[in-house]
Amino acid sequence: MQQPTTGQAEPDPARYPAKHSEEHRLHPAQHTGLPLRSGNGNADRIGQLTHALGWFSVGLGLMQLLAPRTVARASGVEDHPVLLRAIGMRELASGVGILNRRQPGGWLWSRVAGDAMDLALLAVAGASSGAVRKRVALAATAVAGVTALDVLAGVENSRRNSAGYARHAGRDVDLEKSIAVNRPTVECYYVWRDFQNFPRFMSHLESVHPLSDTRFHWIARGPGGDRVEWDTDILIDRPGQILAWQSVDDAEVQHAGVVRFDPAPHGRGTLVKVEMQYRPLPGGLLDRMFGAESAGQMEDDLRRFKQLVETGEIATTEGQSAGRRSPIMRFWQRVTG
Amino acid sequence: MRANCWHGKNDVRVEQVPDPAILNPRDAIVKITSTAICGSDLHLYNGYVPTMEQGDILGHEFMGEIVELGRAVKNLRIGDRVVVPFPIACGNCFSCNEQLYSVCENSNPNARMAEKMWGHSPAGIFGYSHLTGGYAGGQAEYARVPYADVGPIKIPNGLNDEQVLFLSDILPTGYMAAENCGIRMGHVIAVWGCGPVGQFAIQSAYLLGAARVIAIDRFPERLRMAREQSNAETLNYEEVDVADALQEMTGGHGPDACIDAVGMEAHGLGLMGAYDRVKQAMRLETDRPTALRQILRACRNGGTVSIAGAYGGFVDKLPFGSVMNRALTIKTGQTHVQRYMQPLLERIERGDLKPDLVITHRMALDDAPRGYEIFKKKEEECIKVVLTP
């Protein structure tokens, strides 16, 4: 693939004709067919549940702190104000943690731990002579119910946290990342325009090959060996400036991408900005591929793109020499790829 | 091939490993003729550097003969004799264009890991943990050298290995430390640490015009080398109060610039030393900045502190108020070796520098474990160990 070697070479319009004329320069995402939703537009059930659990923790914690005897009576256990106050502080801390943090995952799990502790305490208290069995049972059921909600919220939050830059609006995932490349915009454009380069810097892609000048066939393979294939069309192609592509209508995988090549300030090369949308598949293959599951995967992909453009190769140590590895380390490395 | 591999704290073993191969078009394979153990290798040996894995090949100071070339390397030939710089630099990124080779943006495949630790990733380094890319090192019979069209420097006939080996790391490191001082006529420079880097820093300081160089250490053989080979005035910090002595020697000003050639495993005295050791053991502090604390206070107002010693993580109780209120300049970094190799080679050819004089021990690669041990314990007056595969 020929790369221009000097400055800002003029791209040959005949080779890469622009798909849309000047007048139709709408936001590229509007052509993708996948509705671009804003972050807080839609009902976010998990977010609401997390919020509710946060307030529940605060409320319960305050009650336990300020009125331990009442709480003890209601739960049918003996009166232990010091213990109940300590539990109340813990609840309050969890609640405040959940409400304050943008990533409440850890605090949600602390609630689960607290629930486990409460259930254990209730079991012990229920066995003692001063307990009102029916009330204890009711309290335990309530705690168990809340535990289930905590676990659900915790799991969903963990999944979302690892999405990194993804805004989970509805079911489509939207990822954005940019990187500075020390090369003129046209050079960056040409490397990206040759979609056959994608497997060199995007992980989990087995191949991308052209069916025509503007249609490409993608094959992706997950670490487990599962494989998906789909076709995309290039919708916008302004050499040296912007590229946008989208899955064809009946493709198994619905995804779209836009990449912009803007000159970085003060002659520092190019700012490459990538935006990708996709509809997640069961099994999370697309998540792994497009970076939603492992935060920073897309960062690594862009880092490798930068290496490809700047140095002509991807920095690697795979296949290098090494001494005897412990069996555990060898197993771990095989499992984690 | 045989290679010296890390297996844990105080455990390095020379074992049979696969030969290296060309992995990228800009690679070269070097048949190593000489290699050395660095003071910073001791941090790996002592277990202070995270992300090491059993079987990692150590060594970042090496030289030898090109035996294989990737198809994109045009400036070298099979059979060329080269010294390889320890930072791996692509030559194409913004940092490399600025000659900041030790922070190359492209050469660390584990950049994300390093970013988590340090905010941004520096360059990859040979044989220095997976944080810097996990590249196999040069205490071996062969090594794979990435970006061979940028790093290795050709050595002319007439110079033996021992004269040029240290172009790979410690000589440029000492030189850059001195250069960073911004030495002007009449300046007094103080150097903490009389290991090989300290010796080269002292010698470079004189070459760059220092009027006086004062060297600080506690090991008699190192202080003697600083006096006899590097022409420094010496202070033994176990015998004198260094802060007081420096004040006396500089009319109360303090040295115009100070070089830290000690780093994160500084030997701590007294209560502060105990504090650092305890915190380090509890993993509450990763580095022991004993020398650095003293250096920051001793430096003249408005002077420069040049830090060549290696640090990894976080340090406690740095007198930053002293730094700010007295207008100090701090310059530091892993050495941008590629920048200095050619000029320093010329100085060696002219006889301005004789780097081989720091070598105290020569052994076979197979004896590397013994080399590490005596180097760590400073036995047999060990100052620098060179290994021959």
Side-chain angles (χ1 to χ4, degrees):
Chain A
M1 192 209 68
Q2 223 27 49
Q3 284 193 36
T5 47
T6 56
Q8 291 269 5
E10 262 305 304
D12 179 356
R15 254 196 101 201
Y16 299 112
K19 281 290 278 184
H20 290 263
S21 67
E22 289 283 345
E23 297 95 71
H24 297 294
R25 247 205 302 166
L26 302 169
H27 189 294
Q30 291 176 266
H31 294 280
T32 62
L34 295 174
L36 233 199
R37 305 174 208 206
S38 64
N40 46 13
N42 273 332
D44 184 3
R45 295 222 313 272
I46 291 298
Q48 287 181 337
L49 172 61
T50 308
H51 212 66
L53 285 169
W55 279 112
F56 173 72
S57 258
V58 169
L60 182 57
L62 278 174
M63 271 201 348
Q64 287 165 332
L65 251 181
L66 302 176
R69 290 197 174 80
T70 316
V71 173
R73 253 203 318 272
S75 320
V77 301
E78 286 179 340
D79 193 14
H80 285 291
V82 175
L83 176 60
L84 261 170
R85 285 210 167 94
I87 293 176
M89 298 248 290
R90 181 210 75 206
E91 276 293 341
L92 197 55
S94 292
V96 168
I98 291 170
L99 290 173
N100 266 344
R101 307 282 281 174
R102 282 183 332 139
Q103 288 181 344
W107 290 103
L108 282 166
W109 290 117
S110 84
R111 268 203 56 78
V112 174
D115 292 336
M117 189 176 117
D118 289 343
L119 284 171
L121 283 172
L122 278 172
V124 167
S128 80
S129 53
V132 179
R133 293 278 153 74
K134 239 204 305 220
R135 288 217 183 134
V136 174
L138 265 170
T141 314
V143 174
V146 173
T147 311
L149 288 175
D150 288 332
V151 170
L152 173 64
V155 166
E156 282 300 313
N157 263 284
S158 295
R159 251 180 15 95
R160 259 210 259 153
N161 285 345
S162 61
Y165 300 91
R167 301 196 299 267
H168 263 265
R171 292 185 57 219
D172 297 337
V173 180
D174 201 342
L175 305 164
E176 272 181 54
K177 189 75 182 98
S178 65
I179 195 165
V181 179
N182 193 25
R183 276 289 189 276
T185 53
V186 281
E187 272 191 54
C188 298
Y189 163 84
Y190 278 128
V191 176
W192 198 289
R193 180 58 176 84
D194 189 354
F195 279 29
Q196 295 181 89
N197 278 328
F198 285 177
R200 296 182 72 180
F201 60 92
M202 292 190 195
S203 41
H204 301 302
L205 267 187
E206 193 175 278
S207 73
V208 180
H209 64 259
L211 300 173
S212 76
D213 225 10
T214 54
R215 182 167 286 202
F216 290 84
H217 184 74
W218 301 49
I219 304 177
R221 192 183 283 280
D226 39 329
R227 181 183 157 134
V228 283
E229 304 186 38
W230 69 97
D231 292 345
T232 60
D233 280 333
I234 293 187
L235 300 187
I236 300 182
D237 186 354
R238 310 186 62 75
Q241 289 177 41
I242 189 166
L243 260 177
W245 65 95
Q246 177 193 319
S247 295
V248 301
D249 282 332
D250 57 350
E252 178 188 353
V253 168
Q254 282 300 311
H255 114 256
V258 185
V259 56
R260 274 168 254 262
F261 305 96
D262 298 324
H266 308 302
R268 283 204 198 175
T270 304
L271 203 53
V272 178
K273 290 189 224 176
V274 183
E275 196 182 324
M276 296 248 216
Q277 272 187 327
Y278 70 92
R279 193 154 280 159
L281 289 179
L285 166 62
L286 282 192
D287 292 327
R288 279 192 292 279
M289 206 183 94
F290 286 115
E293 261 205 357
S294 81
Q297 181 68 68
M298 197 164 170
E299 276 184 48
D300 282 348
D301 288 350
L302 278 179
R303 252 189 267 264
R304 284 187 284 263
F305 171 74
K306 172 190 161 85
Q307 287 169 16
L308 192 57
V309 177
E310 288 183 4
T311 75
E313 52 186 52
I314 312 279
T316 183
T317 55
E318 268 174 61
Q320 73 169 0
S321 181
R324 192 178 0 112
R325 307 269 173 178
S326 68
I328 296 175
M329 183 53 67
R330 275 185 263 133
F331 174 75
W332 176 252
Q333 283 175 345
R334 224 192 336 236
V335 158
T336 56
Chain B
M1 68 164 182
R2 314 269 304 146
N4 188 32
C5 303
W6 186 89
H7 276 274
K9 186 169 166 176
N10 295 330
D11 186 3
V12 296
R13 304 177 205 168
V14 180
E15 43 197 36
Q16 197 67 27
V17 304
D19 283 2
I22 300 280
L23 301 177
N24 266 333
R26 293 171 66 185
D27 288 354
I29 306 288
V30 171
K31 178 179 199 298
I32 296 170
T33 53
S34 294
T35 180
I37 305 176
C38 184
S40 51
D41 287 335
L42 290 181
H43 304 321
L44 301 171
Y45 189 65
N46 293 330
Y48 282 117
V49 181
T51 76
M52 289 297 289
E53 286 171 25
Q54 283 202 42
D56 287 345
I57 300 176
L58 298 178
H60 56 267
E61 304 182 67
F62 62 99
M63 66 177 289
E65 187 188 315
I66 304 278
V67 292
E68 212 181 320
L69 285 173
R71 64 175 190 275
V73 182
K74 304 293 179 218
N75 62 321
L76 295 171
R77 287 199 163 73
I78 309 277
D80 278 346
R81 191 162 155 244
V82 296
V83 176
V84 180
F86 80 86
I88 299 170
C90 72
N92 306 106
C93 64
F94 172 76
S95 295
C96 287
N97 286 164
E98 298 284 305
Q99 297 205 305
L100 301 172
Y101 298 102
S102 73
V103 290
C104 167
E105 297 169 2
N106 289 321
S107 59
N108 186 359
N110 296 336
R112 200 178 352 145
M113 200 194 295
E115 221 177 62
K116 281 207 177 76
M117 177 108 180
W118 290 320
H120 299 268
S121 171
I125 293 180
F126 288 105
Y128 214 80
S129 94
H130 290 261
L131 209 51
T132 65
Y135 285 96
Q139 284 164 8
E141 293 183 84
Y142 295 88
R144 167 204 166 224
V145 177
Y147 309 116
D149 48 352
V150 173
I153 181 177
K154 279 201 284 221
I155 303 298
N157 290 333
L159 293 167
N160 64 42
D161 273 17
E162 288 185 0
Q163 288 176 282
V164 295
L165 173 63
F166 301 138
L167 286 171
S168 54
D169 177 0
I170 52 178
L171 182 56
T173 300
Y175 186 86
M176 185 169 112
E179 189 185 72
N180 277 344
C181 289
I183 299 173
R184 294 207 302 275
M185 229 172 53
H187 272 191
V188 178
I189 311 295
V191 179
W192 275 255
C194 295
V197 167
Q199 302 293 337
F200 294 140
I202 298 166
Q203 294 169 24
S204 302
Y206 280 121
L207 282 178
L208 290 168
R212 256 174 116 181
V213 182
I214 303 161
I216 298 136
D217 204 300
R218 69 179 169 120
F219 292 101
E221 64 275 12
R222 295 179 175 218
L223 291 166
R224 189 169 56 240
M225 187 183 273
R227 279 192 305 272
E228 293 173 7
Q229 280 181 30
S230 309
N231 278 318
E233 299 167 59
T234 58
L235 295 172
N236 185 333
Y237 67 83
E238 284 189 333
E239 291 171 5
V240 303
D241 185 311
V242 168
D244 282 349
L246 287 175
Q247 290 286 87
E248 278 299 308
M249 291 162 92
T250 58
H253 276 131
D256 298 289
C258 299
I259 296 176
D260 172 0
V262 175
M264 63 182 280
E265 282 194 67
H267 177 250
L269 293 175
L271 211 51
M272 210 63 218
Y275 170 88
D276 285 323
R277 279 206 175 274
V278 166
K279 287 204 87 174
Q280 214 178 18
M282 292 171 65
R283 299 271 184 269
L284 292 174
E285 186 183 22
T286 59
D287 304 4
R288 301 197 301 269
T290 315
L292 188 55
R293 286 188 194 114
Q294 186 175 68
I295 292 169
L296 291 171
R297 282 177 59 95
C299 188
R300 184 206 84 199
N301 286 352
T304 300
V305 171
S306 167
I307 302 175
Y311 292 86
F314 302 93
V315 296
D316 257 23
K317 302 265 180 294
L318 274 191
F320 218 71
S322 173
V323 170
M324 186 273 161
N325 283 289
R326 301 189 309 108
L328 297 188
T329 299
I330 297 182
K331 295 202 79 170
T332 185
Q334 290 282 6
T335 316
H336 306 297
V337 177
Q338 285 83 339
R339 206 202 273 174
Y340 297 101
M341 289 175 107
Q342 188 58 43
L344 288 175
L345 174 61
E346 286 164 23
R347 285 212 184 255
I348 294 172
E349 287 177 301
R350 283 203 299 270
D352 294 341
L353 290 164
K354 295 183 172 61
D356 47 318
L357 294 180
V358 301
I359 304 174
T360 55
H361 289 76
R362 297 161 175 83
M363 24 183 107
L365 174 66
D366 284 332
D367 294 326
R370 169 108 185 101
Y372 270 81
E373 205 188 324
I374 59 174
F375 189 33
K376 166 181 174 152
K377 296 182 183 160
K378 317 275 197 300
E379 287 169 6
E380 301 178 17
E381 302 196 337
C382 178
I383 296 181
K384 189 68 177 175
V385 180
V386 170
L387 305 168
T388 317

